Amino acid sequence: MNTKEIEVTLEQITDWKKENVVYIDTRGAIAYQHGHIENAQVFENMDVVKEQIPLQENKKYVVYCTYGETSYEIAQELREMGYDAYNLKGGYRSWLLKHTSGYSREELLRYDRQIILPQIGMDGQLKLKNAKVLIIGAGGLGAPAALYLAGAGVGTIGLMDADAVSMSNLQRQIIFSESMVDQNKAESAKQVLEHLNSGIQVKAYKEFITPQNAEEIISEYDFVIDAVDNFEAKFLINDACVLAGKPFCHAGILRFQGQVMTYVPDGKCTCYRCIFEEIPEPSSVQNCSQAGVIGAMAGIIGSVQALEAVKYFTGAGELLTNKMYVFDGLTMENRIVRFPNRNERCRVCGKDADIKSVKGNAAEYRRKGCEIQSM
């Protein structure tokens, strides 16, 4: 039996009587739940086929997997069992390209490797397309986060940074090139993302986040990524997001170490201030410019932040809520530090919180001055 005898295209199936076609989905129950050909029956193993899909002489059994590769052998086995079985050429992906609305053919091809993931599927990709993410700080953390979110198809990405690209940034801020030195980071990063993915919208804010602009800008987005390099900015982002009911992902890197945590406004989640409480004195903690940082660490941790954003919108997996991911690049050891529910003494989300607005608490965020830089 040759390939031509057993393989069938969607165009050929359209000539068959619909009531005589039985689709068998071999991708498994999870993938099936996230999208399948109409009226298809999910395939678990050959015993299930025998029990749940009784042989009927007047039926044509069309078997499919994701790309039409692994299902070919199954179709052959079904034929040997007496079924009038065929393998769908191109698999479920060919059906998506023909039947899915809300996406262009180019989008389906671009996001193909994500869409086939059971945890993402067509619904998850559409959620990413409609998502709005603000990245505050277009530096070491913001660069990989922005690139991967643009690649993933996040529909709107905001980049906020008033700083200019310097030669020392190029060691870790991989979104920039030598030709961009002395240019604004937000605007330069915007141009890169637009070349990477012309199907998304990118907004550049050529300013630092401040108590005066934080509430207005953050209100336009669904998720915020904290990619800044000083504690004043981190506390400002935390407080503004908590007060506005916006989810965000915090991260920090130094030398060969990094940490990530995510906050969601569910009334129970631990926020950044719940853990660290108050902005430390400037002399008590070194930053990257003082202590140094390995560039790859920014790539690892910034990518984790992008992954947290994708998981938030699609509902895939577990977020880093009420816990912090800590990674040591020298030993390649990582651990999860777990926290109880929010700190009732927290000044922004606790029982007797005294921070009611970031503008009203502006003096605290300005301890080191007005510039709030990216890593």
Side-chain angles (χ1 to χ4, degrees), residues 54-298:
L55 175 61
Q56 299 180 56
E57 293 183 359
N58 64 330
K59 299 291 186 180
K60 295 181 182 293
Y61 297 87
V62 178
V63 187
Y64 69 89
C65 58
T66 302
Y67 294 105
E69 298 168 350
T70 59
S71 56
Y72 179 80
E73 293 182 0
I74 297 171
Q76 280 186 317
E77 187 173 353
L78 289 174
R79 279 204 173 185
E80 293 171 1
M81 294 167 58
Y83 291 83
D84 185 13
Y86 300 84
N87 181 56
L88 179 59
K89 188 174 182 179
Y92 180 63
R93 181 170 173 270
S94 67
W95 186 88
L96 282 176
L97 289 172
K98 187 173 181 179
H99 292 86
T100 302
S101 60
Y103 294 90
S104 66
R105 183 179 178 85
E106 182 182 276
E107 286 176 316
L108 291 174
L109 292 172
R110 177 187 285 268
Y111 307 124
D112 177 67
R113 297 301 188 271
Q114 282 178 190
I115 292 173
I116 65 173
L117 293 170
Q119 299 86 349
I120 305 295
M122 294 302 302
D123 290 343
Q125 191 61 50
L126 187 59
K127 290 175 181 177
L128 292 176
K129 184 177 181 178
N130 295 327
K132 298 179 180 180
V133 177
L134 175 64
I135 301 173
I136 304 177
L141 294 173
L147 288 168
Y148 277 112
L149 290 177
V154 170
T156 302
I157 297 175
L159 297 164
M160 191 173 188
D161 204 318
D163 202 6
V165 179
S166 68
M167 190 63 71
S168 65
N169 295 152
L170 304 183
Q171 167 257 3
R172 64 198 178 282
Q173 299 179 17
I174 58 171
I175 204 166
F176 306 122
S177 61
E178 292 179 0
S179 64
M180 296 176 178
V181 171
D182 295 329
Q183 296 178 13
N184 173 260
K185 287 184 177 180
E187 186 59 41
S188 297
K190 177 180 185 291
Q191 295 173 14
V192 173
L193 297 188
E194 289 174 338
H195 279 93
L196 172 63
N197 191 343
S198 60
I200 65 173
Q201 182 179 11
V202 185
K203 299 181 180 180
Y205 300 89
K206 296 187 287 186
E207 55 189 307
F208 293 118
I209 187 169
T210 68
Q212 285 67 43
N213 64 23
E215 294 173 340
E216 180 180 356
I217 295 176
I218 286 174
S219 68
E220 299 178 14
Y221 292 86
D222 306 314
F223 192 91
V224 176
I225 288 181
D226 158 19
V228 296
D229 188 23
N230 68 76
F231 290 105
E232 284 81 359
K234 291 187 178 299
F235 275 83
L236 171 56
I237 293 169
N238 177 86
D239 296 351
C241 287
V242 172
L243 291 171
K246 297 287 185 177
F248 75 96
C249 183
H250 150 81
I253 53 174
L254 193 68
R255 300 189 180 96
F256 287 85
Q257 297 182 324
Q259 63 185 40
V260 190
M261 65 171 284
T262 297
Y263 167 85
V264 295
D266 62 0
K268 299 178 181 179
C269 192
T270 304
C271 77
Y272 182 80
R273 190 180 280 274
C274 283
I275 302 168
F276 298 103
E277 297 189 350
E278 301 292 341
I279 300 173
E281 293 298 325
S283 60
S284 64
V285 183
Q286 290 183 311
N287 58 29
C288 292
S289 63
Q290 297 167 327
V293 64
I294 193 71
M297 182 58 61

